[in-house]
């Protein structure tokens, strides 16, 4: 299971959202569960809730996704960097042939986008 945390999910994890905490625990404890934090979303989460980036980057079950050239080109075409980087990261890759699911506390933001969503609203 490959899950992308958007900026709202990252901020929620820092505020004690039980569903986000379960995802983090599962990614750390269970084989086959992977959590990703796109860099642009991590920056936005830290702006919303200072300290979030350091906290999440230190967790062993979360992989921070760099803003490489293909990601930067994809982000450049959108208005918000955080959402664009999450959407780009959720697309299929050789490592994730089925793509990834975006975990969010604001599922309405993803309506009409070509992504699968996991609602973390408590």
């Amino acid at each position: 299971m490959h899950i992308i945390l958007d900026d709202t999910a990252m901020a929620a994890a820092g505020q004690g959202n039980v569903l986000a905490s379960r995802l983090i625990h599962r990614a750390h404890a269970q084989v086959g569960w992977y959590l990703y934090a796109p860099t642009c979303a991590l920056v936005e989460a830290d702006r919303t809730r200072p300290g979030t980036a350091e906290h999440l980057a230190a967790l062993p079950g979360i992989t921070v996704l760099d803003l490489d050239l293909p990601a930067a080109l994809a982000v450049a075409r959108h208005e918000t960097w955080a959402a664009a980087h999450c959407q780009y990261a959720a697309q299929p890759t050789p490592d994730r042939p089925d793509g990834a699911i975006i975990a969010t506390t604001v599922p309405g933001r993803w309506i009409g986008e070509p992504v699968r969503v996991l609602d973390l609203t408590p």
Side-chain angles (χ1 to χ4, degrees):
M1 179 69 61
H2 297 275
I3 299 174
I4 307 293
L5 296 172
D6 79 356
D7 55 304
T8 67
M10 292 181 207
Q15 294 172 327
N17 178 296
V18 69
L19 298 174
S21 295
R22 286 180 187 165
L23 281 178
I24 292 168
H25 173 73
R26 188 164 271 178
H28 176 69
Q30 271 190 296
V31 174
W33 280 77
Y34 304 95
L35 278 184
Y36 304 95
T39 303
C40 293
L42 193 59
V43 168
E44 193 60 36
D46 200 69
R47 286 180 180 162
T48 302
R49 188 170 192 285
T52 299
E54 280 184 277
H55 174 70
L56 288 176
L59 295 174
I62 297 180
T63 301
V64 176
L65 299 176
D66 293 332
L67 185 63
D68 58 9
L69 180 58
L73 294 174
V75 166
R77 294 185 205 117
H78 291 83
E79 288 185 33
T80 64
W81 288 29
H85 199 184
C86 289
Q87 184 176 338
Y88 172 78
Q91 300 310 305
T93 66
D95 294 339
R96 299 184 302 271
D98 294 327
I101 299 166
I102 296 178
T104 183
T105 60
V106 185
R109 128 195 297 185
W110 298 103
I111 291 173
E113 298 295 338
V115 295
R116 296 175 292 159
V117 172
L118 175 62
D119 186 356
L120 298 183
T121 306

